[in-house]
Amino acid sequence: MPNLKDPTDRDLLHKIWDGEALVGSPPYDESDLEALSFVTDRSGSLLALYGQASPPLLHDEATQSFALVFRAAAASQLAFNDFLAHQPNAAEMLRANGAKARGGIEKMFRGASIFLADPALKEGNKIVLVESLRADGADLAQSISPDHRQALIDLFVPSVGQLPMPAQESLKIFMQKIKAAGCDLWCADGM
């Protein structure tokens, strides 16, 4: 698998993980949905590959993949919310697929909390992961019911004291932001 230790792979991987180039920046609308869904799907596949590698050999690669997944998924969520806002049958659409989508978002947060708690994960990788959560977590959390959000926050609480000081503050901000996030149509649907 491509890795950062190989100079040939390094340039390719940095291009793959360039969230600004791949995802852009808000606002996102329904016209962005197809491209953002593609990036989210591919970055999730990449994360799965690096996540299955023998730790800690590819922690750097897995961390960068996690960061891209969060960025792409958050952008996709915002674009999908715009799509839903223009659908007369949004409630029916959510009833059919809302629980599965919310479950996927919750799974992403659980995976990040487990990865962050890994004692073999280097400090720099912890900082990258926490900063990606702080930047994009609240957009994803809007789809999760408030009671489920608290359960997810509780997963990250033990990690706070294991992080360097700036990352501790960023993780606390992330937890505050997801607790305070509003509810989008997915969350309001309650399914």
Side-chain angles (χ1 to χ4, degrees):
M1 288 185 358
N3 66 74
L4 291 169
K5 290 183 176 128
D6 182 331
T8 307
D9 294 343
R10 192 176 307 128
D11 289 339
L12 171 66
L13 289 171
H14 284 296
K15 288 177 184 174
I16 289 172
W17 295 320
D18 185 351
E20 184 65 31
L22 292 172
V23 177
S25 57
Y28 302 105
D29 61 34
E30 65 181 300
S31 67
D32 301 312
L33 189 56
E34 186 176 341
L36 290 170
S37 295
F38 177 80
V39 173
T40 301
D41 180 55
R42 297 300 179 185
S43 60
S45 297
L46 189 62
L47 175 58
L49 285 172
Y50 285 119
Q52 294 172 4
S54 300
L57 296 178
L58 297 174
H59 271 178
D60 295 341
E61 292 81 359
T63 300
Q64 294 299 322
S65 297
F66 243 125
L68 180 59
V69 165
F70 272 105
R71 184 167 188 171
S76 294
Q77 186 64 37
L78 295 172
F80 193 70
N81 288 344
D82 183 65
F83 168 76
L84 284 175
H86 297 97
Q87 301 303 310
N89 61 343
E92 292 172 28
M93 293 172 71
L94 292 174
R95 238 178 255 111
N97 300 305
K100 182 178 178 183
R102 282 188 295 274
I105 292 168
E106 290 178 22
K107 185 177 177 181
M108 286 172 47
F109 282 126
R110 282 191 302 274
S113 73
I114 292 167
F115 192 60
L116 190 60
D118 184 344
L121 191 63
K122 294 185 287 189
E123 188 174 286
N125 287 330
K126 289 182 179 191
I127 292 169
V128 168
L129 182 58
V130 167
E131 290 303 322
S132 71
L133 289 167
R134 184 188 55 75
D136 299 309
D139 290 331
L140 288 169
Q142 291 180 36
S143 299
I144 301 170
S145 66
D147 59 325
H148 283 217
R149 287 184 210 170
Q150 186 57 53
L152 292 172
I153 290 168
D154 293 344
L155 293 173
F156 288 96
V157 170
S159 295
V160 173
Q162 301 171 8
L163 296 169
M165 191 52 69
Q168 285 183 25
E169 290 307 311
S170 288
L171 188 59
K172 289 176 187 176
I173 291 168
F174 157 71
M175 292 187 294
Q176 291 167 352
K177 285 171 84 172
I178 67 170
K179 188 171 188 167
C183 274
D184 63 13
L185 291 171
W186 293 81
C187 176
D189 174 59
M191 297 308 234

